[in-house]
Amino acid sequence: QKEVEQNSGPLSVPEGAIASLNCTYSDRGSQSFFWYRQYSGKSPELIMSIYSNGDKEDGRFTAQLNKASQYVSLLIRDSQPSDSATYLCAVSLLGRGYSTLTFGKGTMLLVSP
Amino acid sequence: EAQVTQNPRYLITVTGKKLTVTCSQNMNHEYMSWYRQDPGLGLRQIYYSMNVEVTDKGDVPEGYKVSRKEKRNFPLILESPSPNQTSLYFCASSLSKGNEQFFGPGTRLTVL
């Protein structure tokens, strides 16, 4: 059974701080990793994708992947109140003739002014 | 504008009355997928399609059907809806398998 685990939170940080969101996954064959942001009642919005070990930076966001530890993280620098949302980690498993995407249950982030 | 559209956005129906939720994308994406989202359970994949006439089950396919007759459309069919299918449904598409998926706005379904 594929599993993606996230701390449900809420994770509370003050405005301007760094928010660190973590995710672990169970299937070593996983190949693609994504972070989505979801505001209440809205659809998930892609923030970052990462496919190989290491760091990937995009503006205030940095995704980190460690396949040996089966661990993905998202750092948000200079957090803003508008970053308050639920962050979903998603892991893709590909094979010949199949392709599935499994989501964690999400971590709620609260950024206080 | 590149987008995934779903219709209807809200639907209240009764047990056993067949319904279809449509999904369409204008990005020429090969891969399309349906998810349901429930409190405490997160997003779960129902069915996916890697191309026209190619569909496969996700994690929670029971009670649902899909078809992919055209590349742009991927309807979700509930032939005999039950109250446990009350949920928020999302359609998503990606260029090909393993790529980033882009989500539609969601359909909130209530089955009485």
Coordinates of all heavy atoms in Angstrom, one line a residue, chain B residues 11-20 63 77-86 109-112:
Chain B
L11 N -23.8 19.8 -6.9 CA -24.9 18.9 -7.3 C -25.5 18.2 -6.1 O -24.7 17.7 -5.3 CB -24.4 17.9 -8.3 CG -25.4 16.8 -8.8 CD1 -26.6 17.5 -9.5 CD2 -24.8 15.8 -9.7
I12 N -26.8 18.3 -5.9 CA -27.5 17.5 -4.8 C -28.4 16.6 -5.6 O -29.2 17.0 -6.4 CB -28.3 18.5 -3.9 CG1 -27.3 19.5 -3.3 CG2 -29.0 17.7 -2.9 CD1 -28.1 20.5 -2.4
T13 N -28.3 15.3 -5.2 CA -29.1 14.3 -5.9 C -29.6 13.3 -4.8 O -29.3 13.4 -3.6 CB -28.3 13.6 -7.0 OG1 -29.1 12.8 -7.8 CG2 -27.2 12.8 -6.4
V14 N -30.3 12.3 -5.3 CA -30.8 11.3 -4.4 C -30.2 9.9 -4.7 O -29.7 9.7 -5.9 CB -32.3 11.2 -4.5 CG1 -33.0 12.5 -4.0 CG2 -32.8 10.8 -5.9
T15 N -30.2 9.0 -3.8 CA -29.6 7.7 -3.9 C -30.2 7.0 -5.2 O -31.4 7.0 -5.4 CB -29.9 6.9 -2.7 OG1 -29.3 7.5 -1.6 CG2 -29.4 5.4 -2.8
G16 N -29.3 6.4 -6.0 CA -29.7 5.6 -7.1 C -29.9 6.4 -8.4 O -30.1 5.7 -9.5
K17 N -29.9 7.7 -8.4 CA -30.1 8.4 -9.6 C -28.8 8.7 -10.4 O -28.0 9.5 -9.9 CB -30.8 9.7 -9.3 CG -31.3 10.5 -10.6 CD -32.0 11.8 -10.2 CE -32.5 12.5 -11.4 NZ -33.2 13.8 -11.1
K18 N -28.7 8.1 -11.5 CA -27.4 8.1 -12.3 C -27.0 9.6 -12.6 O -27.9 10.4 -12.9 CB -27.6 7.4 -13.6 CG -26.3 7.3 -14.4 CD -26.6 6.5 -15.7 CE -25.3 6.6 -16.6 NZ -25.5 5.8 -17.8
L19 N -25.7 9.8 -12.5 CA -25.3 11.2 -12.8 C -23.9 11.1 -13.4 O -23.2 10.1 -13.3 CB -25.2 12.0 -11.5 CG -24.2 11.7 -10.4 CD1 -22.9 12.4 -10.6 CD2 -24.8 12.0 -9.0
T20 N -23.6 12.2 -14.1 CA -22.3 12.3 -14.8 C -21.7 13.7 -14.5 O -22.4 14.7 -14.5 CB -22.4 12.2 -16.3 OG1 -22.9 10.9 -16.6 CG2 -21.1 12.4 -17.0
G63 N -17.9 1.9 -7.4 CA -19.1 2.8 -7.5 C -18.9 3.8 -8.6 O -19.8 4.6 -8.8
I77 N -18.7 8.9 -14.1 CA -20.1 8.4 -14.0 C -20.4 7.7 -12.8 O -19.6 6.8 -12.4 CB -20.4 7.5 -15.3 CG1 -20.1 8.2 -16.6 CG2 -21.8 7.0 -15.2 CD1 -19.7 7.3 -17.7
L78 N -21.5 8.1 -12.1 CA -22.0 7.4 -10.9 C -23.3 6.8 -11.3 O -24.3 7.4 -11.4 CB -22.1 8.3 -9.7 CG -20.8 8.8 -9.0 CD1 -20.1 9.8 -9.8 CD2 -21.2 9.3 -7.6
E79 N -23.3 5.5 -11.6 CA -24.5 4.8 -12.1 C -25.6 4.7 -11.1 O -26.8 4.8 -11.4 CB -24.1 3.4 -12.7 CG -23.2 3.5 -13.8 CD -23.6 2.6 -15.0 OE1 -24.1 1.5 -14.7 OE2 -23.3 3.0 -16.1
S80 N -25.2 4.5 -9.8 CA -26.2 4.4 -8.7 C -25.6 5.0 -7.5 O -25.1 4.3 -6.6 CB -26.6 2.9 -8.5 OG -27.6 2.8 -7.5
P81 N -25.6 6.3 -7.4 CA -25.0 7.0 -6.3 C -25.5 6.6 -5.0 O -26.7 6.3 -4.8 CB -25.2 8.5 -6.6 CG -25.6 8.6 -8.0 CD -26.2 7.3 -8.4
S82 N -24.6 6.6 -4.0 CA -25.0 6.3 -2.6 C -24.5 7.4 -1.7 O -23.6 8.2 -2.1 CB -24.5 5.0 -2.1 OG -23.1 5.0 -2.2
P83 N -25.1 7.6 -0.5 CA -24.6 8.7 0.4 C -23.1 8.7 0.7 O -22.6 9.8 0.9 CB -25.5 8.4 1.6 CG -26.7 7.8 1.1 CD -26.3 6.9 0.0
N84 N -22.5 7.5 0.7 CA -21.0 7.5 1.0 C -20.2 8.1 -0.2 O -19.0 8.1 -0.1 CB -20.5 6.1 1.4 CG -20.7 5.1 0.3 OD1 -20.9 5.4 -0.9 ND2 -20.5 3.8 0.6
Q85 N -20.9 8.5 -1.3 CA -20.2 9.1 -2.4 C -20.3 10.6 -2.3 O -19.9 11.4 -3.2 CB -20.7 8.6 -3.7 CG -20.3 7.1 -3.9 CD -20.8 6.6 -5.2 OE1 -22.0 6.5 -5.5 NE2 -19.9 6.2 -6.1
T86 N -20.9 11.1 -1.3 CA -21.0 12.5 -1.0 C -19.5 13.0 -0.7 O -18.9 12.5 0.2 CB -21.8 12.8 0.2 OG1 -23.2 12.6 -0.1 CG2 -21.7 14.3 0.7
L109 N -20.5 17.3 -4.5 CA -21.6 16.4 -4.7 C -22.2 15.9 -3.3 O -21.5 15.5 -2.5 CB -21.2 15.1 -5.5 CG -22.2 14.0 -5.6 CD1 -23.4 14.5 -6.4 CD2 -21.6 12.7 -6.2
T110 N -23.5 16.0 -3.2 CA -24.3 15.6 -2.1 C -25.3 14.5 -2.5 O -26.1 14.8 -3.4 CB -25.0 16.7 -1.3 OG1 -24.0 17.7 -0.9 CG2 -25.7 16.2 -0.1
V111 N -25.2 13.3 -2.0 CA -26.2 12.3 -2.3 C -27.0 12.0 -1.1 O -26.5 11.6 0.0 CB -25.5 11.0 -2.7 CG1 -26.5 9.9 -3.1 CG2 -24.5 11.2 -3.8
L112 N -28.3 12.3 -1.2 CA -29.3 12.2 -0.1 C -29.9 10.8 0.0 O -30.0 10.1 -1.0 CB -30.4 13.2 -0.2 CG -29.8 14.7 -0.2 CD1 -31.0 15.6 -0.5 CD2 -29.1 15.0 1.1

